[in-house]
Amino acid sequence: MAYLIMLLYVAAHACAIGLSAAAPMASFPFLVAAPAIAAASCAVRMRRTRRWDQNWAAVGFAMLLWTSGMFMAMWQVRTGSPAAGTASLLLYVLYGVPLTFAIASVGREAWYLRLIDAVLALALGVLYAMRTATLAADQDIGSPGFLDLRMMLDLENLFIAVFAVTRLVTATASRTRAFFRALSCFAVAYLLVAVAINHFFADVDFGHWADLIIPLPFLWLAVLAWKVTAAEPVRIYPPRRSHLVRAGSHLFLPLTLMLISALVVQAQPLLGIVGFVLATLGAGIRGVLLQIQTYEERDYFDALSRIDGLTRIPNRRHFEETMEREWRRSMRSGDSLALLLIDIDHFKQLNDTYGHPEGDRILQAVAHALAGCASRSSDTVARYGGEEFAALLPSISRAGALNVATAMREAIEQLALPSPTPEGRVTVSIGVGFIAAVQGGRAHEVLTEADEALYQAKAEGRNRVRERGAR
């Protein structure tokens, strides 16, 4: 249905050109309306999906710029105003800036990275505008100014088409693919139409049959923006390919700015140099900020991988790494080392009676209480697995380790957490492994002693502390 309306639009446009005595003025309403319809479709799409989308908003804004440019062209034909012609050219050129921003800006980025993109896009727009204003006075076909302007437009359109297609072929999310599919179709169609108009029909006025191809890219974009398709399966690409395109997309704006600066530097050296400086600074600062962000994310996820998700204390991986490190340190210094294994008594019965949510709450409360008893900065309390916890106490005396273990047992008992056992409250059994002076061997030795002591505590009736090892 949408494509039928598109064909009827073109047919009506053709009738207006063929039947009207004033063909240019009859053609202009169709030329102005097509990009305006595309802008409206972008707005309607965001409203129908009930979400603000900066990419569709940028495309809609670009369509409004192009609409304004065509309106100024109509005003020039009607009034003969040179200023209207210059304004029309500026708007045609500036329409590509928000499109370039939409292609270069990756979703869910930090606000300061998007700010840099916005500054580079603004700089690109200013550069285009100033250069276009200089060339606008020389619009005779075949003149150097006209040829330079045509080359700038061709490069702008080519960059947008190539970059949009590149983003499309590597997009994975269905929403992102839908956007870049629409933008790629528009950009390629617009590139072909612009080449035809600027190179083959540059000497004909508005109102010619060539006008019929001008609205086609905008109408196609309007159709694609209007259609909200069902979610597509996620596309899987080799990580290196996806990462390369995602990283390279940040260079779209700086590269475009550099290339345009190279085109204008001979005629306007100061303008070209400023463009080069801004492109270099923008790419450099963005790269540094991205690197800092990468380091922060790596540190965050590394820390997250060492924390137990339920109890928010260190997990077994972190504990074992810490134990190996402390064992080597104690072996060099000859210090003592104590390891406590703590097991919640009758935890399976508790889970079966009260359910897993209550069991999780008890695990969290026990973990918090145990961590509070190991107060030294060198002490480590971790969830070792299931209902079992472990505590590593370096450079501590045997009596000190037993005191900490006793404090832990009493702290859990004082929580008065409900339990279906005869005691009526949650208790723990603790096994203490202790080595007075680490002189060799392996870290698992103290773990074995703590495990044997824990087994003894459970065998003797639970809710008690037992210890093994004295060397």
Side-chain angles (χ1 to χ4, degrees), residues 162-198:
V162 170
F163 294 159
V165 171
T166 302
R167 291 298 302 274
L168 170 64
V169 298
T170 55
T172 55
S174 58
R175 188 166 58 237
T176 305
R177 285 189 61 79
F179 171 75
F180 282 111
R181 181 186 297 110
L183 184 57
S184 297
C185 291
F186 167 78
V188 172
Y190 185 87
L191 171 65
L192 298 176
V193 169
V195 168
I197 295 297
N198 292 336

Short mmCIF file of all heavy atoms in Angstrom, two decimals, residues 162-198:
data_model
loop_
_atom_site.label_atom_id
_atom_site.label_comp_id
_atom_site.label_asym_id
_atom_site.label_seq_id
_atom_site.Cartn_x
_atom_site.Cartn_y
_atom_site.Cartn_z
N VAL A 162 28.58 5.05 2.04
CA VAL A 162 29.54 3.99 2.38
C VAL A 162 29.50 3.69 3.88
O VAL A 162 29.46 2.53 4.31
CB VAL A 162 30.96 4.40 1.94
CG1 VAL A 162 31.99 3.42 2.50
CG2 VAL A 162 31.04 4.43 0.43
N PHE A 163 29.50 4.74 4.70
CA PHE A 163 29.50 4.52 6.15
C PHE A 163 28.20 3.87 6.62
O PHE A 163 28.21 3.02 7.50
CB PHE A 163 29.70 5.86 6.88
CG PHE A 163 31.07 6.46 6.67
CD1 PHE A 163 31.29 7.81 6.87
CD2 PHE A 163 32.14 5.68 6.26
CE1 PHE A 163 32.53 8.38 6.67
CE2 PHE A 163 33.40 6.23 6.06
CZ PHE A 163 33.59 7.58 6.27
N ALA A 164 27.06 4.27 6.04
CA ALA A 164 25.78 3.69 6.43
C ALA A 164 25.72 2.21 6.07
O ALA A 164 25.28 1.37 6.88
CB ALA A 164 24.63 4.44 5.78
N VAL A 165 26.17 1.86 4.89
CA VAL A 165 26.17 0.45 4.47
C VAL A 165 27.12 -0.36 5.35
O VAL A 165 26.82 -1.51 5.72
CB VAL A 165 26.54 0.33 2.98
CG1 VAL A 165 26.75 -1.13 2.59
CG2 VAL A 165 25.46 0.95 2.10
N THR A 166 28.26 0.23 5.70
CA THR A 166 29.22 -0.47 6.56
C THR A 166 28.60 -0.79 7.92
O THR A 166 28.75 -1.89 8.44
CB THR A 166 30.48 0.39 6.76
OG1 THR A 166 31.07 0.66 5.49
CG2 THR A 166 31.49 -0.34 7.64
N ARG A 167 27.89 0.19 8.48
CA ARG A 167 27.23 -0.05 9.76
C ARG A 167 26.13 -1.09 9.63
O ARG A 167 25.89 -1.88 10.54
CB ARG A 167 26.65 1.25 10.32
CG ARG A 167 27.68 2.27 10.79
CD ARG A 167 28.54 1.76 11.93
NE ARG A 167 27.74 1.37 13.08
CZ ARG A 167 27.33 2.21 14.03
NH1 ARG A 167 27.68 3.49 13.96
NH2 ARG A 167 26.62 1.77 15.04
N LEU A 168 25.44 -1.10 8.48
CA LEU A 168 24.34 -2.05 8.28
C LEU A 168 24.85 -3.48 8.26
O LEU A 168 24.27 -4.37 8.90
CB LEU A 168 23.60 -1.74 6.98
CG LEU A 168 22.59 -2.79 6.51
CD1 LEU A 168 21.46 -2.91 7.53
CD2 LEU A 168 22.05 -2.45 5.14
N VAL A 169 25.92 -3.75 7.52
CA VAL A 169 26.36 -5.14 7.33
C VAL A 169 26.95 -5.74 8.59
O VAL A 169 27.14 -6.96 8.66
CB VAL A 169 27.37 -5.24 6.17
CG1 VAL A 169 26.75 -4.81 4.86
CG2 VAL A 169 28.63 -4.43 6.46
N THR A 170 27.23 -4.93 9.60
CA THR A 170 27.78 -5.48 10.85
C THR A 170 26.86 -5.27 12.04
O THR A 170 27.22 -5.64 13.15
CB THR A 170 29.15 -4.83 11.16
OG1 THR A 170 29.00 -3.41 11.19
CG2 THR A 170 30.18 -5.22 10.12
N ALA A 171 25.69 -4.66 11.82
CA ALA A 171 24.76 -4.46 12.93
C ALA A 171 24.18 -5.80 13.37
O ALA A 171 23.89 -6.66 12.55
CB ALA A 171 23.64 -3.51 12.51
N THR A 172 24.00 -5.97 14.67
CA THR A 172 23.48 -7.22 15.21
C THR A 172 22.07 -7.07 15.76
O THR A 172 21.22 -7.92 15.52
CB THR A 172 24.40 -7.75 16.32
OG1 THR A 172 24.56 -6.74 17.32
CG2 THR A 172 25.77 -8.10 15.77
N ALA A 173 21.79 -6.00 16.49
CA ALA A 173 20.47 -5.80 17.08
C ALA A 173 19.45 -5.46 15.99
O ALA A 173 19.77 -4.74 15.04
CB ALA A 173 20.51 -4.68 18.12
N SER A 174 18.23 -5.96 16.12
CA SER A 174 17.21 -5.77 15.10
C SER A 174 16.86 -4.29 14.94
O SER A 174 16.65 -3.81 13.82
CB SER A 174 15.96 -6.57 15.44
OG SER A 174 15.44 -6.19 16.71
N ARG A 175 16.78 -3.55 16.05
CA ARG A 175 16.44 -2.12 15.97
C ARG A 175 17.53 -1.35 15.23
O ARG A 175 17.24 -0.48 14.41
CB ARG A 175 16.24 -1.57 17.37
CG ARG A 175 15.71 -0.15 17.37
CD ARG A 175 15.19 0.25 18.74
NE ARG A 175 16.20 0.14 19.78
CZ ARG A 175 16.08 -0.59 20.87
NH1 ARG A 175 15.00 -1.31 21.06
NH2 ARG A 175 17.04 -0.63 21.77
N THR A 176 18.79 -1.69 15.51
CA THR A 176 19.89 -1.01 14.83
C THR A 176 19.91 -1.36 13.35
O THR A 176 20.14 -0.49 12.49
CB THR A 176 21.23 -1.42 15.48
OG1 THR A 176 21.17 -1.16 16.87
CG2 THR A 176 22.39 -0.65 14.87
N ARG A 177 19.65 -2.63 13.03
CA ARG A 177 19.61 -3.03 11.62
C ARG A 177 18.49 -2.32 10.87
O ARG A 177 18.66 -1.91 9.73
CB ARG A 177 19.43 -4.54 11.51
CG ARG A 177 20.68 -5.34 11.84
CD ARG A 177 20.50 -6.81 11.49
NE ARG A 177 20.24 -7.00 10.08
CZ ARG A 177 21.18 -6.99 9.13
NH1 ARG A 177 22.44 -6.79 9.46
NH2 ARG A 177 20.86 -7.18 7.87
N ALA A 178 17.33 -2.17 11.51
CA ALA A 178 16.20 -1.49 10.86
C ALA A 178 16.57 -0.04 10.53
O ALA A 178 16.25 0.46 9.45
CB ALA A 178 14.98 -1.54 11.75
N PHE A 179 17.24 0.62 11.46
CA PHE A 179 17.63 2.01 11.21
C PHE A 179 18.63 2.11 10.08
O PHE A 179 18.45 2.91 9.14
CB PHE A 179 18.21 2.64 12.48
CG PHE A 179 18.82 3.99 12.23
CD1 PHE A 179 18.02 5.10 12.03
CD2 PHE A 179 20.20 4.14 12.15
CE1 PHE A 179 18.58 6.35 11.76
CE2 PHE A 179 20.76 5.38 11.90
CZ PHE A 179 19.95 6.48 11.70
N PHE A 180 19.71 1.31 10.16
CA PHE A 180 20.74 1.44 9.12
C PHE A 180 20.30 0.86 7.78
O PHE A 180 20.85 1.26 6.74
CB PHE A 180 22.04 0.79 9.61
CG PHE A 180 22.80 1.65 10.57
CD1 PHE A 180 22.91 1.28 11.91
CD2 PHE A 180 23.37 2.83 10.17
CE1 PHE A 180 23.58 2.08 12.81
CE2 PHE A 180 24.05 3.65 11.06
CZ PHE A 180 24.15 3.27 12.39
N ARG A 181 19.33 -0.03 7.78
CA ARG A 181 18.77 -0.47 6.50
C ARG A 181 18.05 0.69 5.82
O ARG A 181 18.24 0.95 4.64
CB ARG A 181 17.81 -1.64 6.71
CG ARG A 181 17.22 -2.17 5.40
CD ARG A 181 16.16 -3.23 5.65
NE ARG A 181 16.72 -4.41 6.30
CZ ARG A 181 16.46 -4.77 7.54
NH1 ARG A 181 15.63 -4.05 8.28
NH2 ARG A 181 17.00 -5.84 8.05
N ALA A 182 17.23 1.40 6.60
CA ALA A 182 16.51 2.55 6.04
C ALA A 182 17.48 3.63 5.60
O ALA A 182 17.36 4.20 4.50
CB ALA A 182 15.53 3.09 7.08
N LEU A 183 18.48 3.92 6.44
CA LEU A 183 19.43 4.98 6.10
C LEU A 183 20.29 4.59 4.90
O LEU A 183 20.59 5.43 4.04
CB LEU A 183 20.31 5.29 7.31
CG LEU A 183 21.30 6.45 7.13
CD1 LEU A 183 20.56 7.73 6.76
CD2 LEU A 183 22.11 6.65 8.40
N SER A 184 20.69 3.32 4.82
CA SER A 184 21.51 2.87 3.68
C SER A 184 20.73 2.96 2.38
O SER A 184 21.26 3.42 1.36
CB SER A 184 21.98 1.42 3.91
OG SER A 184 22.81 1.33 5.04
N CYS A 185 19.47 2.51 2.39
CA CYS A 185 18.64 2.60 1.18
C CYS A 185 18.50 4.04 0.74
O CYS A 185 18.65 4.38 -0.45
CB CYS A 185 17.27 1.98 1.43
SG CYS A 185 17.30 0.19 1.66
N PHE A 186 18.23 4.92 1.71
CA PHE A 186 18.10 6.34 1.37
C PHE A 186 19.40 6.90 0.84
O PHE A 186 19.43 7.60 -0.19
CB PHE A 186 17.65 7.13 2.59
CG PHE A 186 17.79 8.61 2.41
CD1 PHE A 186 16.86 9.33 1.67
CD2 PHE A 186 18.87 9.29 2.94
CE1 PHE A 186 16.99 10.70 1.48
CE2 PHE A 186 19.02 10.66 2.76
CZ PHE A 186 18.08 11.37 2.03
N ALA A 187 20.51 6.62 1.55
CA ALA A 187 21.80 7.23 1.20
C ALA A 187 22.26 6.80 -0.19
O ALA A 187 22.76 7.62 -0.97
CB ALA A 187 22.84 6.87 2.25
N VAL A 188 22.11 5.52 -0.52
CA VAL A 188 22.52 5.03 -1.84
C VAL A 188 21.63 5.64 -2.92
O VAL A 188 22.12 6.09 -3.96
CB VAL A 188 22.49 3.50 -1.88
CG1 VAL A 188 22.73 3.00 -3.30
CG2 VAL A 188 23.54 2.91 -0.94
N ALA A 189 20.31 5.65 -2.67
CA ALA A 189 19.40 6.23 -3.65
C ALA A 189 19.67 7.72 -3.83
O ALA A 189 19.67 8.24 -4.96
CB ALA A 189 17.95 6.01 -3.21
N TYR A 190 19.91 8.43 -2.73
CA TYR A 190 20.18 9.86 -2.82
C TYR A 190 21.49 10.12 -3.56
O TYR A 190 21.59 11.08 -4.36
CB TYR A 190 20.26 10.46 -1.42
CG TYR A 190 20.42 11.96 -1.41
CD1 TYR A 190 19.32 12.81 -1.46
CD2 TYR A 190 21.69 12.54 -1.36
CE1 TYR A 190 19.47 14.18 -1.45
CE2 TYR A 190 21.86 13.91 -1.36
CZ TYR A 190 20.74 14.72 -1.40
OH TYR A 190 20.90 16.08 -1.41
N LEU A 191 22.50 9.29 -3.32
CA LEU A 191 23.78 9.44 -4.02
C LEU A 191 23.57 9.33 -5.53
O LEU A 191 24.08 10.16 -6.31
CB LEU A 191 24.76 8.37 -3.54
CG LEU A 191 26.07 8.23 -4.32
CD1 LEU A 191 26.91 9.49 -4.17
CD2 LEU A 191 26.86 7.01 -3.83
N LEU A 192 22.81 8.32 -5.97
CA LEU A 192 22.57 8.14 -7.41
C LEU A 192 21.77 9.28 -7.99
O LEU A 192 22.07 9.77 -9.09
CB LEU A 192 21.84 6.80 -7.63
CG LEU A 192 22.61 5.54 -7.20
CD1 LEU A 192 21.75 4.31 -7.38
CD2 LEU A 192 23.91 5.42 -7.99
N VAL A 193 20.75 9.72 -7.28
CA VAL A 193 19.93 10.85 -7.77
C VAL A 193 20.77 12.13 -7.84
O VAL A 193 20.70 12.88 -8.81
CB VAL A 193 18.71 11.04 -6.87
CG1 VAL A 193 18.00 12.37 -7.19
CG2 VAL A 193 17.73 9.88 -7.04
N ALA A 194 21.59 12.37 -6.80
CA ALA A 194 22.41 13.58 -6.79
C ALA A 194 23.43 13.57 -7.92
O ALA A 194 23.69 14.61 -8.55
CB ALA A 194 23.12 13.70 -5.44
N VAL A 195 24.02 12.41 -8.20
CA VAL A 195 24.97 12.31 -9.33
C VAL A 195 24.25 12.62 -10.64
O VAL A 195 24.77 13.36 -11.50
CB VAL A 195 25.60 10.90 -9.37
CG1 VAL A 195 26.33 10.68 -10.69
CG2 VAL A 195 26.56 10.72 -8.20
N ALA A 196 23.05 12.08 -10.81
CA ALA A 196 22.28 12.34 -12.03
C ALA A 196 21.95 13.81 -12.18
O ALA A 196 22.14 14.41 -13.26
CB ALA A 196 21.00 11.50 -12.04
N ILE A 197 21.47 14.43 -11.11
CA ILE A 197 21.06 15.84 -11.17
C ILE A 197 22.26 16.74 -11.34
O ILE A 197 22.26 17.67 -12.17
CB ILE A 197 20.26 16.21 -9.91
CG1 ILE A 197 18.95 15.43 -9.85
CG2 ILE A 197 19.99 17.71 -9.87
CD1 ILE A 197 17.98 15.71 -10.97
N ASN A 198 23.32 16.51 -10.58
CA ASN A 198 24.47 17.43 -10.59
C ASN A 198 25.37 17.25 -11.81
O ASN A 198 26.07 18.19 -12.21
CB ASN A 198 25.31 17.23 -9.32
CG ASN A 198 24.57 17.68 -8.07
OD1 ASN A 198 23.67 18.52 -8.14
ND2 ASN A 198 24.94 17.11 -6.93
#
